[in-house]
Amino acid sequence: QLQVVESGGGLVQPGGSLRLSCACSGFTLDYYSIGWFRQAPGKEREGVSCISRSGGKTNYADSVKGRFTISRDNAKNTVYLQMNSLKPEDTAVYYCAAYPATFQYMCDMTTTLYDYWGQGTQVTVSS
């Protein structure tokens, strides 16, 4: 059974850091691009970052560039999102998702591409 499970969310003060993890099971991560998305109350789900199959290509939303870093460890079937310099506007439920990718060095944050989604983890940035 294919599963994607996020962890690592929580409450953090502005300027703080969190690392989210995305544990994948039931499929070989090597063949999938992985994306992180978030959804704040009353807003649409938006792409935050994605990483290609090889890990050689990453993309970020403009709002998180320079603050967030995505990485993957295919041996552990896990993808990470390191979030630094967090702001109150980063508050949202964060989702991890996967899609089977043809190319090793491409990823796309279009939500409709993604086949497998986790349940999400809450990130709250507040003083």
Side-chain angles (χ1 to χ4, degrees):
Q1 183 177 358
L2 283 76
Q3 273 194 313
V4 176
V5 179
E6 305 93 338
S7 63
L11 173 64
V12 64
Q13 291 187 341
S17 298
L18 282 175
R19 189 176 82 154
L20 304 184
S21 297
C22 173
C24 305
S25 60
F27 61 98
T28 303
L29 194 59
D30 303 51
Y31 300 106
Y32 288 77
S33 289
I34 304 296
W36 283 98
F37 299 82
R38 66 186 181 187
Q39 189 166 18
K43 294 189 177 181
E44 291 188 357
R45 190 171 297 187
E46 63 173 353
V48 175
S49 183
C50 66
I51 188 166
S52 63
R53 285 171 51 187
S54 66
K57 175 65 176 179
T58 57
N59 287 318
Y60 297 92
D62 288 343
S63 57
V64 306
K65 278 181 184 175
R67 300 188 297 123
F68 290 11
T69 303
I70 191 171
S71 61
R72 64 192 291 159
D73 185 338
N74 286 356
K76 294 183 178 179
N77 258 28
T78 302
V79 176
Y80 306 96
L81 185 68
Q82 178 67 43
M83 305 187 296
N84 299 328
S85 302
L86 283 161
K87 305 175 180 180
E89 50 263 44
D90 294 318
T91 295
V93 177
Y94 282 71
Y95 299 90
C96 179
Y99 75 91
T102 302
F103 302 106
Q104 291 194 34
Y105 296 99
M106 289 180 63
C107 72
D108 191 317
M109 289 190 281
T110 303
T111 56
T112 52
L113 286 173
Y114 289 79
D115 295 325
Y116 308 110
W117 291 81
Q119 294 300 306
T121 185
Q122 176 70 46
V123 171
T124 302
V125 184
S126 175
S127 55

